[in-house]
Amino acid sequence: SRIVLFLDACFSGAGRSGNVLLSSRGVGYLPFPAAVPERTVVFSAGTARQPALCYREAEHGLFTYCLLKSLRYNGRGLQLGALVDEVSREVEAASIRINGSVQKPSLRSGFDVRTEWHSWKIKN
């Protein structure tokens, strides 16, 4: 089996009522273990030193918004490599346009799948 983890930090200081106290999401530094487990890919909202920004209008994290949008429009059969490329481009462009700040998603994989995860198919 394979594991793909999409990681966007939880909202900090904001409620669903739209009352936003902070414009970035709760974690500015994402600590990763020394190694990602076998057969696992971790695709996260930002790099270790960047916050995961919000998209207030959509009431989501920017990463989550771009990920869900890509999954909706591309449907089943999409390769993980294509999804990662598309979401990364979208987040990088939208973070500057919407929040005036840089956010660049990052990906880490288990050593055993470092050359094959690109071709994994998204089923649901």
Side-chain angles (χ1 to χ4, degrees):
S1 70
R2 301 171 179 160
I3 299 169
V4 179
L5 174 65
F6 299 102
L7 181 63
D8 198 347
C10 63
F11 225 72
S12 176
R16 289 282 180 198
S17 65
N19 218 357
V20 179
L21 300 176
L22 298 174
S23 63
S24 67
R25 297 169 66 77
V27 177
Y29 181 77
L30 300 173
F32 280 103
V36 173
E38 290 183 357
R39 309 292 301 159
T40 302
V41 171
V42 179
F43 186 33
S44 60
T47 62
R49 298 185 188 265
Q50 293 174 340
L53 302 171
C54 69
Y55 185 11
R56 291 181 192 183
E57 186 176 306
E59 297 182 354
H60 276 299
L62 184 58
F63 176 80
T64 298
Y65 174 79
C66 293
L67 175 65
L68 294 175
K69 178 179 158 189
S70 182
L71 288 170
R72 177 197 284 165
Y73 291 115
N74 292 304
R76 292 185 183 161
L78 179 67
Q79 289 187 336
L80 184 56
L83 176 68
V84 167
D85 290 345
E86 181 176 318
V87 171
S88 295
R89 277 193 309 272
E90 288 287 321
V91 169
E92 288 181 53
S95 67
I96 302 267
R97 187 178 68 249
I98 294 168
N99 293 309
S101 185
V102 175
Q103 178 178 340
K104 181 178 174 137
S106 62
L107 184 132
R108 291 178 43 120
S109 68
F111 186 75
D112 61 326
V113 296
R114 72 188 180 287
T115 60
E116 70 179 60
W117 67 264
H118 297 84
S119 63
W120 291 359
K121 298 265 185 183
I122 303 294
K123 303 232 184 233
N124 289 334

